[in-house]
């Protein structure tokens, strides 16, 4: 018998700022001065304020089911802050942090979660995809967008964010596999918050890391501390840069924890211990970065108060506008279906609007 | 005989089937500890253990696909898809595999599986959670498609679906999960899978439909009665195979028919019923067949969904149109 | 104006569309060097290069999914699925994604893609290669479904489908790929996507269908003519959105109608046409609407497939039944 | 920054008998005596004779489209010979070698490829699955069958064989991923014949090996020389044994080459060089094993003639029976659809058989 090694792989895990806010070594260029991290911090604070408000609105019957990103803010902010404006974001339903950074407004988010399609007609990032509620369905879209960039020889990349549960779906694998031979400028970011509703990460797959799923596609994969916004941004920035330069796709697994219920429709106490959740508050991304900034002398109690107040104002203003926004007219159901409405559906539209006797 | 909600009737039928037949398994996303996002499988894990109630990874196509493998090995898997909006990736397995295994092997292997899922809108759920995609499953020979609209029918038909030796797609009206309540005897008695249910007799017009809209049909029938017109109300319940005989017989008596469903009009399953009326049923018709359905548009997000979903008023308008005809 | 086969007309339309619009891409399994298993994309790789003609890995769901991404980025992908039997795993992407992108974003993003595939049986192909699954795509708002039955219509409708700003599922009758030949002018003229085609006028009965069976309908019309009955023959061509007006107008003249398709009867798309005749068309009908379709069984393997696929004799029998009525 | 290694992997490649028939070292137990390999050799010869006949029948219009396994016989024979009778085979459309070993008769195979469903009603391995024409669709069935064994605590395993192209399909990934947490007794055997119709292995995925796709699922994966029946059997036998003992699933990649056209409907010269094909004849499995057996003194020219004659006889007899088999009656279309035919379809059946006036 001859047995030889055909291939070898390893997966790394990276962190820059530990759970207590201590740097584990030199920080990357973009974080060289602690002050440079303040926008990231403020964005995480805004996200948390937004999430809290959205949950409150849902509890009082003024918003639909909502998926909080409590404790996971660093994933989206780290990733989005690594993007260039011309890159395209394809978010799952729990990445409001990334969307807010990209310029989607809190009002748009509220409209969407309040059940109004206008919330996906972003005034800001016009090419970004709407939220993907179907798990992993947006992964091949990210490959398609990346293929468009590659074909046009544009130095742009697509960034797809999805969950640990999403890595079990065929769409996810098919998309990263296609990205391989075509060297697509795509970054697949797995927000591993340890849970897919009630199914823990360990029941989702026997893979020791989710990053290693990249190996199946022949693309690089790495793990980062997803509660460390610096580590997330650094890994995603490197991956995006390589993608834009023709170096192909990367899978980044960001390890975090879902501190909230799955959504407002969920009661996580049915399936997980409060104790584990409580323990996971240690090292959560906002407290962690605040500790770092404070230790660096870049953040004061006053700064904190301002940040909280600014976030509250932004969210309150958005809420007011949201609550004051009348629903779309019924015609809107029809008017965006096709570029031009076919005659048969024109007739239905008229019927729906009561302008004409129905005939079906 | 306690009054229970439709979702509890589902739960009761699952437990009954698991008790009487050790080959019945329940699997799907969050069906175990969580008891299913609608609690349809609540308590089953505790009662029957993790070898009978399996939380799966998040992969609908494989949920259907492993069910085919289990069924070929004489288990009776009852797989839950969390919402119909996520069931479309199972169609390949259901059509090319589950529905054909018996035919392909001349009966050597078979596929006694049930694919359950909530369907339809009206609960202000997020995007992709309010689908009525039954038509994607009704042109698939070898597959049964069942869609009860009351706790008792949910109980009896689910038992029948699980006991059936062939694959069944079992749709549950989300809107009625909690809203529909009824006395249900947990007597293990299945209802027939090849029969419509006449919920109310009437000689002036036939209202036919399935799923949540059946309640609106009954309400419309009340209103029509107040106007002096007796509507017969038929819950199709089993779409495929269709109990054409009962439907044709009813319309033969009434001469008028309103077909109601939440799914879009064009090529919705209502078309099949109307087509049979245009064919063998033609001579019975005293008025054009009316279809009251969702519009041929994408199901809107919650703010407009109740304007999309047809309700009592549209059914009444159609019925009156029909009654006024000729 | 050379006489060419239907598959060559497809090839011609693809080349024309790629020539006139640099955003048109062709992608799919084996579409490149091999030119597609039916040669529909033959020569395109040489002519337009590997950046316009992409051989994909073997993954139909992703072929549809990356097309959505490309289309959102203003490309016009024309994706080939090798056989309709392998298209079912694209339904999720077509229904939940392609058909909705414009609606979901209020027009900010759109999805001008075409998903082409051969459909139907009759070429003695292996298992799963002879499907008529169009009904899985016809109850999906936001999607067009086109199914030409001659080289000229294939050419003109494919051009229209590619130029259309919204997603189109484009079915090509495998049985006619080589068998149907016709003069086709490569003039870049598209045919309308919202119109039926009346192939033959007649006042006694209307034969309506799509795909390969249209040729049998024409043959049946010849035979009926020999019996002194003039059949109007309509190729529906675009199933969704349906040109109901033309169909209803024809039946208003003839009073009799035979609807023909290869797909199974129950909830086949023929039901929609029959349903419209039972509704707005009712007063025209002089005889029950006939449907001549595949049986409600799994498409058999080649040895029995021609007994499954309805042909001239079954159409004739139905037409005669209809003509004798009343 | 801290970067640590989170996980490491390696993929091995194994061969026992090289392209020229020379052993590369000690052979495994089951092959200790060269004579023990003769049944495998004869089975490969039978397969090749069967394939040649099937192609000839197709060319003369007496069989449908057919997929030859020319040059790949060792994959199926190696795998099937490692199975216990109680294991279940789930083959793709090119694994007649494995099916023949399992006891599917040449007549059944001809019936199937001749367009008659009775060909899948195997008299022999009653629980084996019929051929999967849809690529990778049988992968989740294999997981389901394995789950059935695990739940019943039976020491049995499922063996799924599929192609290199199949490793791009979501079904494949979803199935191996599910096998992980449940430790399913399943072996996924990838017959890597370098081509998926016209698409070469390199365009199918950027993964350096197909075996490494196992890493994504957290299950073991290894590569073997797929033209070495000993290596295939050894790897599959080890994997099956581990599976039956509760050790979970394994992915085995067998590297071979498709010497034939994709199917009789294909013309491979459109997309690949004859030269590459010619070169790949070197090391093909039958010549290779013959060289080994001859060198071991276990095989003579006379043995070869007998083997060829026996194979020819078996195939000719099957062909005669096949050609003499009348088609099923039309009623067969209906009679296996459901355990009991519903009334509506009973009516159609009667109509089809012309016993009754049609009414639809
Ligand atoms: C295809 C699909 N199946 C099921 C669901 C229902 N569902 C919504 S979120 C979710 C869990 C997702 O888990 P993960 O991918 O880890 O993301 P997370 O919710 O943790 O952010 C499920 C099962 C869905 N949205 N899409
Ligand atoms: C899902 C699916 N898509 C497409 C096809 C058409 N097709 C048949 S075989 C084949 C290539 C398969 O390649 P591979 O998996 O490597 O197996 P091989 O043919 O080489 O044995 C394709 C594309 C199919 N049968 N199933
Ligand atoms: Mg998660
Ligand atoms: Mg191959």
């Amino acid at each position: 018998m001859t047995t030889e090694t055909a291939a070898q792989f390893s997966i790394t895990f990276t962190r820059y700022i530990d759970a207590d806010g201590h740097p584990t070594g030199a920080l990357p260029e973009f974080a060289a001065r602690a002050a440079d991290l303040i926008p990231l911090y403020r964005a995480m604070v805004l996200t948390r304020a937004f999430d809290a408000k959205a949950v409150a609105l849902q509890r009082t019957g003024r918003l639909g089911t909502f998926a909080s990103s409590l404790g996971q803010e660093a994933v989206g902010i780290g990733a989005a802050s690594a993007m260039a404006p011309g890159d395209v974001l394809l978010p799952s339903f729990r990445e409001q942090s990334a969307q807010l950074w990209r310029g989607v407004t809190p009002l748009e988010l509220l409209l969407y979660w309040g059940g109004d399609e206008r919330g996906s007609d972003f005034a800001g990032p016009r090419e970004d995809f709407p939220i993907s509620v179907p798990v992993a369905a947006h992964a091949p879209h990210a490959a398609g967008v990346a293929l468009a960039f590659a074909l046009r020889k544009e130095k742009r990349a697509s960034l797809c964010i999805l969950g640990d549960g999403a890595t079990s779906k065929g769409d996810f694998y098919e998309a990263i596999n296609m990205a391989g031979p075509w060297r697509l400028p795509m970054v697949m970011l797995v927000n591993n918050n340890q849970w897919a509703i009630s199914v823990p990460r360990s029941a989702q797959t026997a893979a020791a890391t989710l990053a290693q799923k990249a190996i199946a596609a022949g693309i690089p994969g790495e793990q980062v501390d997803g509660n460390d916004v610096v580590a997330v941004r650094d890994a995603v920035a490197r991956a995006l840069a390589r993608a834009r330069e023709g170096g192909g796709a990367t899978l980044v697994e960001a390890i975090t924890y879902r501190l909230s219920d799955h959504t407002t429709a969920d009661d996580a106490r049915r399936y997980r211990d409060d104790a584990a959740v409580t323990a996971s508050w240690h090292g959560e991304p906002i407290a962690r970065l605040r500790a770092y900034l404070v230790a660096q002398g870049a953040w004061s109690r006053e700064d904190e108060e301002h940040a909280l107040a600014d976030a509250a104002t932004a969210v309150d203003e958005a809420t007011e506008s949201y609550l004051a926004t009348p629903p779309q007219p019924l015609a809107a159901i029809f008017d965006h279906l096709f570029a031009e409405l076919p005659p048969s559906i024109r007739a239905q539209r008229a019927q729906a609007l009561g302008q004409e006797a129905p005939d079906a | 005989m306690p009054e229970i909600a439709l979702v509890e009737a589902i739960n009761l039928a699952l437990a009954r089937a698991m008790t009487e037949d050790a080959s019945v398994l329940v699997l799907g996303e969050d069906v175990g500890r969580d008891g299913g996002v609608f609690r349809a499988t609540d308590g089953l894990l505790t009662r029957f253990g993790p070898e009978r109630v399996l939380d799966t990874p998040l992969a609908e196509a494989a949920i259907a696909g492993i069910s085919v493998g289990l069924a070929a090995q004489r288990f009776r898997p009852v797989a839950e898809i969390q919402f119909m909006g996520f069931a479309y990736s199972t169609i390949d397995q259901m059509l090319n595999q589950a529905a054909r295994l018996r035919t392909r092997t001349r009966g050597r292997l078979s596929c006694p599986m049930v694919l359950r899922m909530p369907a339809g809108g009206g609960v202000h759920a997020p995007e992709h959670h309010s689908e009525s995609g039954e038509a994607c499953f009704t042109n698939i020979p070898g597959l049964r498609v069942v869609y009860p609209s009351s706790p008792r029918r949910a109980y009896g038909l689910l038992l029948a679906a699980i006991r059936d030796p062939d694959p069944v797609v079992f749709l549950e009206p989300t809107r009625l999960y909690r809203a529909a309540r009824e006395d249900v005897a947990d007597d293990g008695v299945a209802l027939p899978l090849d029969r419509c249910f006449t919920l109310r007799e009437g000689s002036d017009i036939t209202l036919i439909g399935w799923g949540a809209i059946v309640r609106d049909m009954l309400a419309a029938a009340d209103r029509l009665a107040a106007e002096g017109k007796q509507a017969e109300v038929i819950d199709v319940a089993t779409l495929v195979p269709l109990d054409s005989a009962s439907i044709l017989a009813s319309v033969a008596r009434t001469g008028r028919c309103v077909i109601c469903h939440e799914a879009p009009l064009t090529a919705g399953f209502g078309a099949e019923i109307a087509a049979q009326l245009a064919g063998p049923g033609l001579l019975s018709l005293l008025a054009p067949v009316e279809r009251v359905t969702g519009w041929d548009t994408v199901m809107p997000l919650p703010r407009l969904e109740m304007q999309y979903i047809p309700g009592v008023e549209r059914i009444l308008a159609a019925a009156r149109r029909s009654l006024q005809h000729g």
Side-chain angles (χ1 to χ4, degrees), chain A, chain B:
Chain A
M1 167 173 82
T2 344
T3 293
E4 47 195 59
T5 301
Q8 279 187 303
F9 310 94
S10 75
I11 297 293
T12 60
F13 171 85
T14 299
R15 127 185 329 142
Y16 285 92
I17 300 178
D18 73 14
D20 298 313
H22 302 139
T24 62
L27 264 50
E29 182 65 25
F30 70 80
R33 289 167 308 165
D36 292 341
L37 296 176
I38 290 175
L40 306 188
Y41 182 79
R42 292 177 59 97
M44 294 199 289
V45 167
L46 173 64
T47 303
R48 192 163 293 184
F50 177 84
D51 281 355
K53 173 64 78 177
V55 170
L57 286 169
Q58 192 281 334
R59 298 273 184 250
T60 51
R62 291 173 298 168
L63 198 77
T65 305
F66 178 75
S68 166
S69 64
L70 186 69
Q72 307 168 216
E73 298 87 349
V75 178
I77 297 299
S81 66
M83 295 175 75
D87 296 334
V88 163
L89 176 70
L90 298 99
S92 75
F93 46 83
R94 203 187 295 284
E95 303 305 338
Q96 43 275 17
S97 58
Q99 294 189 293
L100 288 167
W101 182 280
R102 295 279 297 165
V104 177
T105 65
L107 171 59
E108 286 164 350
L109 290 177
L110 289 174
L111 280 170
Y112 175 81
W113 291 108
D116 187 322
E117 290 82 356
R118 289 173 296 184
S120 293
D121 185 12
F122 311 143
R126 297 291 292 168
E127 295 179 75
D128 280 7
F129 264 58
I131 283 161
S132 186
V133 165
V135 167
H138 56 320
H141 307 163
V145 168
L147 181 53
F149 296 157
L151 292 174
R152 285 199 297 254
K153 306 197 176 14
E154 294 172 344
K155 299 212 164 186
R156 305 166 68 186
S158 66
L159 176 79
C160 179
I161 315 184
L162 36 66
D164 44 309
T167 68
S168 294
K169 268 293 263 190
D171 285 343
F172 161 78
Y173 295 101
E174 291 191 357
I176 60 173
N177 186 62
M178 279 207 184
W182 288 334
R183 294 183 82 73
L184 295 184
M186 171 177 89
V187 178
M188 187 65 62
L189 176 60
V190 177
N191 177 335
N192 175 2
N193 65 4
Q194 314 298 335
W195 295 92
I197 310 186
S198 72
V199 178
R201 156 69 182 80
S202 58
Q204 200 63 242
T205 180
T209 69
L210 301 180
Q212 76 201 50
K213 294 190 181 261
I215 297 170
I219 62 171
E222 64 172 298
Q223 256 187 353
V224 297
D225 184 333
N227 286 357
D228 173 3
V229 73
V230 175
V232 175
R233 174 160 167 173
D234 179 56
V236 173
R238 279 185 285 106
L240 285 170
R242 186 169 54 239
R244 294 188 205 104
E245 294 306 319
T250 303
L251 177 70
V252 178
E253 174 191 4
I255 301 181
T256 178
Y257 194 90
R258 197 193 80 207
L259 291 172
S260 66
D261 287 339
H262 169 67
T263 62
T264 49
D266 177 55
D267 174 7
R269 280 163 311 173
R270 289 177 65 89
Y271 52 80
R272 68 178 185 184
D273 280 352
D274 273 349
V277 181
T278 309
S280 297
W281 274 92
H282 176 66
E284 66 88 358
I286 294 185
R288 179 189 301 215
L289 185 57
R290 185 170 55 235
Y292 174 76
L293 292 175
V294 168
Q296 299 290 313
W299 196 249
S300 65
R301 171 178 300 251
E302 204 172 51
D303 291 332
E304 181 73 9
E305 275 161 17
H306 279 308
L308 291 174
D310 290 351
T313 307
V315 167
D316 287 346
E317 282 174 10
T319 302
E320 258 178 60
S321 307
Y322 161 65
L323 295 173
T325 305
Q328 302 169 92
L330 178 56
I333 294 185
F334 296 91
D335 292 346
H336 304 279
L337 189 64
F338 291 108
E340 202 184 319
L341 211 58
S344 60
I345 309 187
R346 270 206 302 275
Q348 285 190 26
R349 182 180 185 279
Q351 187 184 340
L353 303 189
Q355 293 165 357
E356 214 187 271
D359 60 2
Chain B
M1 220 168 57
E3 197 185 80
I4 59 173
L6 196 151
V7 70
E8 293 167 311
I10 298 288
N11 185 271
L12 217 53
L14 289 171
R16 162 69 65 159
M18 295 182 81
T19 304
E20 72 185 19
D21 181 350
S23 70
V24 176
L25 305 176
V26 162
L27 71 162
E29 295 158 14
D30 307 291
V31 298
R33 277 185 85 171
D34 196 33
V37 292
F38 285 105
R39 309 292 172 248
T41 57
D42 198 17
L44 299 181
L45 176 66
T46 319
R47 214 161 133 196
F48 298 99
E51 308 219 316
R52 307 274 313 273
V53 182
L54 292 95
D55 271 329
T56 64
L58 204 169
E60 284 79 7
I63 290 172
I66 61 169
S67 296
V68 172
L70 283 164
Q73 276 292 324
R74 300 170 302 279
F75 277 99
R76 290 182 176 258
V78 184
E80 174 174 304
I81 300 295
Q82 219 156 59
F83 290 91
M84 183 159 217
F86 313 127
Y88 301 107
S89 57
T90 69
I91 293 179
D92 182 46
Q93 282 290 335
M94 297 310 293
L95 185 156
N96 274 328
Q97 307 294 335
R100 299 185 172 200
L101 193 56
R102 182 186 292 278
T103 292
R104 295 179 65 217
T105 61
R106 305 285 92 165
R108 180 171 61 85
L109 300 175
S110 61
C111 195
M113 66 176 281
V114 176
L115 193 76
R116 302 176 37 242
M117 67 197 80
V123 297
H124 288 299
E127 209 174 353
H128 299 281
H129 285 64
S130 304
E131 316 287 318
S132 291
E134 62 267 21
C136 284
F137 290 98
T138 49
N139 189 234
I140 301 179
L143 211 59
R144 285 183 162 81
V145 182
V146 180
Y147 201 161
S149 71
S150 82
R152 255 183 256 160
R153 289 190 293 284
Y155 176 85
L157 290 171
L158 182 52
L159 275 183
I162 296 172
R163 291 175 191 162
D164 192 84
D166 289 299
V168 179
V169 170
F170 195 87
L171 307 172
E172 301 162 8
T174 321
R175 184 145 56 105
L176 303 186
Y177 261 158
R178 306 241 152 246
R181 301 185 65 82
E182 202 174 33
D183 290 346
V184 176
D186 183 13
D187 53 10
V189 177
L191 288 169
L193 279 185
D194 53 8
R195 279 250 333 271
C196 291
F197 295 87
T198 301
L199 305 186
R200 175 180 181 132
E201 299 194 346
S203 52
D204 296 322
I205 188 166
T206 305
L207 310 181
I208 305 179
W210 53 89
I213 204 169
V214 169
R215 304 234 310 180
D216 301 309
M217 288 156 44
L218 288 167
D222 280 342
R223 298 264 297 274
L224 289 170
E227 295 170 18
K229 295 294 182 183
Q230 300 311 320
E232 184 139 307
V233 176
I234 297 180
D235 178 5
V236 174
T238 295
L239 279 58
V240 183
L242 182 67
D243 175 11
S244 308
S246 299
I247 293 170
L248 293 177
S250 173
V251 180
R253 285 190 301 275
T254 63
R256 302 168 199 275
C257 181
V258 181
I259 301 166
C260 309
H261 57 72
E262 221 176 284
L265 175 73
T266 296
F269 188 74
E272 176 58 33
I273 295 174
Q276 300 199 3
L277 293 173
L282 183 69
L283 300 187
S284 310
L285 291 177
L286 302 174
V289 173
E290 298 278 344
R291 285 186 284 165
V292 174
T293 71
W295 308 111
D296 279 333
T297 71
V298 174
M299 178 80 186
L301 291 186
R303 269 194 164 187
L304 293 180
E305 76 171 327
M306 292 318 293
Q307 293 186 260
Y308 176 92
I309 297 174
V312 179
E313 293 308 326
R314 284 186 57 206
I315 297 170
L316 272 178
R320 292 188 188 121
R321 222 160 34 231
S322 178
L323 287 163
Q324 273 150 28
H325 187 95

